[in-house]
Amino acid sequence: MDAREMKIKAAAEALTHVEDGMRLGIGTGSTAEEFVRLLAERVAGGLKVEGVPTSERTARLCLELGVQLRSLDELPQLDLTIDGADEIDPQLRLIKGGGGALLREKIVAAASNRMIVIADETKIVDTLGAFPLPIEINPFGQVSTRIAVEALASRLGLSGALDLRKRSDDSLYMTDGGHLILDASFGRIPDADALAEQLNAIPGVVEHGLFINLASLAIIAGPAGARVME
Ligand code: 5RP
């Protein structure tokens, strides 16, 4: 099974949790997009769901494929969110935001009764942090915010580069909400809970990619098939 087939396998398993009439949070990224494609086939076959997309990119794909969308304000409480992840630890804590959608992804996941993570087995880690942690920051005061993040990292014994995310043309990457992203290459985050809590206390930090106590289940696809972590 190649990487794409594993994503499709995880997405197909997640689809078995979707029921008629559900209000669905729909994630962002290549794995979530495989889910959207499979969901659209079921919708074409008569399944009725309403989706809240976690990014403009996901919204465009849903609209193109005929998945009915609502805003989160129209559907403020969701039954289920299905989304990908960049890293998953044994306690189902995640790093997300590789695709830049972490803020909306976290708001949507928090508004959902359940969040199912879909991923291939390369995303499983013992300790979070090999994947650079995305930290979404307000452009106003970005230098002060960076200094505050560096000071926090140092207090927690973390070190590594903080890179302002850029696009391929070298312009600054802006999120759907008009914010910047600092990618923090800490390497290993021994106390993700403390880091998450203390990042939230820095005023210029809009959100960060540590998703803690949000995922209910992860469907992990490998060459031999899919398994569930909960
Ligand atoms: C986007 C995300 C994605 O879910 C994450 O980056 C995983 O993406 P992919 O399925 O393409 O590996 O958090 O902000």
Side-chain angles (χ1 to χ4, degrees), residues 4 8 11-12 14-16 18 20 24-26 31-51 58-69 82 118:
R4 174 148 191 242
I8 294 172
L15 196 56
T16 66
V18 175
D20 209 48
L24 280 184
I26 306 180
T31 318
E33 284 174 6
E34 297 301 349
F35 172 75
V36 173
R37 289 190 187 96
L38 295 176
L39 178 68
E41 286 173 15
R42 290 283 309 283
V43 166
L47 178 78
K48 292 208 176 357
V49 292
E50 292 177 303
T58 294
R60 279 193 295 276
L61 183 65
C62 288
L63 291 174
E64 195 184 301
L65 298 179
V67 175
Q68 195 184 346
L69 294 182
I82 307 228
I118 49 177

Side-chain angles (χ1 to χ4, degrees), residues 7 28-32 83-86 96-102 105 123:
K7 291 174 191 186
T28 296
S30 57
T31 318
D83 202 349
D86 300 301
K96 283 187 52 56
L102 61 146
E105 288 173 332
K123 306 291 183 68

Side-chain angles (χ1 to χ4, degrees), residues 89-169:
D89 83 359
Q91 292 153 264
L92 290 190
R93 296 180 299 187
L94 316 172
I95 287 185
K96 283 187 52 56
L102 61 146
L103 175 61
R104 293 190 186 182
E105 288 173 332
K106 198 179 276 190
I107 293 171
V108 167
S112 302
N113 288 339
R114 283 189 307 146
M115 176 192 193
I116 296 181
V117 181
I118 49 177
D120 63 73
E121 63 182 14
T122 62
K123 306 291 183 68
I124 303 295
V125 296
D126 286 333
T127 306
L128 297 174
F131 189 91
L133 175 67
I135 303 172
E136 185 159 346
I137 62 170
N138 198 297
F140 180 85
Q142 56 160 302
V143 177
S144 306
T145 302
R146 169 194 282 269
I147 291 169
V149 171
E150 281 166 352
L152 167 61
S154 156
R155 282 199 303 280
L156 294 177
L158 300 168
S159 59
L162 292 182
D163 295 313
L164 205 48
R165 192 178 293 186
K166 301 255 183 81
R167 297 192 183 277
S168 49
D169 65 2

